[in-house]
Amino acid sequence: MRWALCLVVATACWHERVPDLPPVPPPPPGPPAELRIPELDEYRKPNASMLVDRVYVYGRSDNLIAYLHEPADDACGCYEVIAIVQDLTSGLRIWSDRYKSEEIHPDGPPQVSNLQQIWDARGAVWELNIRAFGITRETVTALHVISTTGRSVPRLAIHKRKVGDDSDLGYAHLTSYRIDLITTAGDTTIAAQTEHLDTFDLLEVEVPGYLPPRGNGRAAVLIVERRRGWEGLPYLAGLRFAGADLR
C-alpha cells in the first residue's frame, strides 16, 4: 500500500512538471547607424535644392564592405533600400538585396516607408548573408578627410571630362571621370573611374572622405555624384564607395 501511494505521488509530480522550452532567440539588433557627411547636411532640410542618398555602414572585412544604401528619389515618392556587400578590390557588388515600396513583393514584407520597418522584416536575413562573408559589425558614423587638391600626399586627384551649356542637351554635364590615388612614393593608381557614361545627368563629382583600411585591405573612399533631377530641380546627390590602397 505504501509503495502504491508513493507511485501515485511521483506520477502526479511528473505530470505537473513544465517541460524545458528552447530559448527564444533575441530580436536582431537595430539597423546600422547612418554615415554622416557634413558637406551635405544643409540638403537634409525640407525643400532643399538637392535630395541626398543615405548610407548606413554595417561593417567590413579586409577587402569587403557591407552597407545599406537609400537612394534619393524625386520621381515616384517611393522608399527604396539596398543591402550591399561590395569588394573594394574589384569595386563589384558580390551580394545585394533590394526593396522598393512601389513594387509587389509576394513573399516579402508589406509596403514599408523607413529603414526600421524594413530592418524588422529583413534585418535578420540580411545579417546572416553579410556574416557569411566574414564581415563583422561595427559602428561607423564619420569619414576621415583626404585632400583632393594641392601637393600633399597621399591625396586623391579627380579628373573630369565635361561639356558646356552648348551641349546637345542645353546644359553642362560630365561625360566621364577618373579618381587617382597619389601616394608618398610618387605612385599613381586608379581608385575609381567611369568612362562613356550612359546617362547625361552627372553634373559634379566630389570625395568628402574615406573609411580607413582594415588589416591589409583597402580603404573605402566615398564618392558623391551630383546629378540633375527628373525635371531638373531638385538635384540628386548619389553616394558610392570605391577602394583605395591607403596603407
Side-chain angles (χ1 to χ4, degrees):
M1 182 67 179
R2 181 180 301 172
W3 283 106
L5 180 61
C6 291
L7 180 60
V8 170
V9 172
T11 303
C13 292
W14 182 85
H15 280 297
E16 291 176 0
R17 183 183 175 190
V18 177
D20 293 333
L21 298 176
V24 177
E34 183 175 2
L35 181 65
R36 282 203 62 241
I37 307 161
E39 295 89 338
L40 300 178
D41 278 349
E42 63 179 297
Y43 302 109
R44 302 295 189 190
K45 302 173 183 177
N47 303 317
S49 61
M50 186 162 62
L51 303 175
V52 183
D53 287 7
R54 295 181 184 271
V55 165
Y56 309 80
V57 177
Y58 178 93
R60 291 170 294 164
S61 62
D62 279 12
N63 277 309
L64 301 179
I65 182 170
Y67 60 99
L68 307 182
H69 177 209
E70 286 182 352
D73 174 74
D74 71 331
C76 70
C78 308
Y79 175 71
E80 182 178 5
V81 61
I82 311 168
I84 298 168
V85 175
Q86 179 180 338
D87 188 328
L88 292 171
T89 302
S90 66
L92 299 177
R93 295 180 182 183
I94 58 176
W95 175 85
S96 67
D97 188 29
R98 173 177 170 270
Y99 172 84
K100 192 169 185 178
S101 61
E102 72 169 352
E103 298 173 354
I104 298 175
H105 302 269
D107 57 348
Q111 298 291 299
V112 303
S113 58
N114 60 61
L115 186 61
Q116 185 61 59
Q117 290 175 347
I118 191 64
W119 188 261
D120 290 341
R122 291 192 183 178
V125 174
W126 283 350
E127 288 202 299
L128 285 176
N129 281 276
I130 291 171
R131 290 176 179 175
F133 291 97
I135 296 173
T136 57
R137 185 161 180 170
E138 59 182 315
T139 300
V140 180
T141 58
L143 293 165
H144 290 230
V145 178
I146 186 170
S147 176
T148 57
T149 60
R151 306 183 67 86
S152 62
V153 289
R155 73 178 183 275
L156 294 172
I158 305 175
H159 306 278
K160 295 171 281 191
R161 291 182 180 177
K162 61 174 62 178
V163 293
D165 292 332
D166 57 350
S167 70
D168 293 340
L169 297 177
Y171 59 85
H173 60 275
L174 301 186
T175 58
S176 67
Y177 72 84
R178 188 184 78 246
I179 300 176
D180 291 341
L181 170 65
I182 302 172
T183 65
T184 54
D187 296 329
T188 299
T189 57
I190 297 174
Q193 67 177 335
T194 180
E195 300 286 347
H196 309 299
L197 296 175
D198 57 0
T199 60
F200 302 96
D201 58 354
L202 184 58
L203 305 178
E204 190 55 79
V205 173
E206 304 159 0
V207 176
Y210 69 96
L211 303 178
R214 291 276 300 271
N216 294 318
R218 294 191 169 200
V221 176
L222 186 70
I223 300 171
V224 178
E225 297 180 338
R226 300 192 182 220
R227 298 179 178 272
R228 282 176 59 92
W230 183 256
E231 296 181 351
L233 285 173
Y235 294 146
L236 303 176
L239 305 177
R240 73 183 189 95
F241 284 105
D245 192 356
L246 287 175
R247 290 171 293 164

